[in-house]
């Protein structure tokens, strides 16, 4: 199992792209727009006792939108990707 996380930052035209990828066992290969909803967790086995309340990505989404950016989450079946695009 690959437990490494990756963080990349790049610039595309007048946009800055920040992307993080990490291993995510058992996710379907698809886009996850609901992951940005408050108190949402994709891993049903996690709870407040094991870490997290499911609000971190909702906060991220709010900040990104305030700065006229976009955030998206997707999975290739093995890794979860969170991608943020912001004006440069």
């Amino acid at each position: 199992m690959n437990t490494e996380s990756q963080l990349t930052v790049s610039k595309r035209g007048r946009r800055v792209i920040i992307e993080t990828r990490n291993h995510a066992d058992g996710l379907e290969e698809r886009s996850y727009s609901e992951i940005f909803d408050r108190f949402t967790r994709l891993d049903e086995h996690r709870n407040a006792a094991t870490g997290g309340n499911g609000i971190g990505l909702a906060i991220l989404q709010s900040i990104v939108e305030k700065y006229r950016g976009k955030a998206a989450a997707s999975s290739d079946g093995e890794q979860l990707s969170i991608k943020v695009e912001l004006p440069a």
Side-chain angles (χ1 to χ4, degrees):
M1 171 184 3
N2 180 5
T3 59
E4 279 188 37
S5 294
Q6 298 172 329
L7 177 69
T8 58
V9 179
S10 59
K11 187 173 180 192
R12 187 178 309 142
R14 300 178 76 172
R15 312 274 300 166
V16 173
I17 314 297
I18 303 165
E19 185 174 12
T20 181
R21 298 178 66 83
N22 65 315
H23 184 76
D25 229 1
L27 293 180
E28 296 175 27
E29 187 172 332
R30 67 181 181 96
S31 177
Y32 287 94
S33 59
E34 72 274 8
I35 198 172
F36 296 100
D37 296 341
R38 280 185 233 161
F39 310 115
T40 298
R41 289 188 217 120
L42 295 180
D43 184 352
E44 61 194 41
H45 301 292
R46 289 187 63 170
N47 59 37
T50 59
N53 292 310
I55 61 170
L57 290 175
I59 294 168
L60 170 76
Q61 178 82 358
S62 179
I63 293 168
V64 167
E65 288 176 352
K66 179 176 176 75
Y67 290 97
R68 297 182 316 272
K70 297 185 289 184
S74 62
S75 173
D76 63 4
E78 293 182 14
Q79 289 189 323
L80 178 65
S81 171
I82 306 292
K83 182 188 225 180
V84 172
E85 292 188 32
L86 295 166

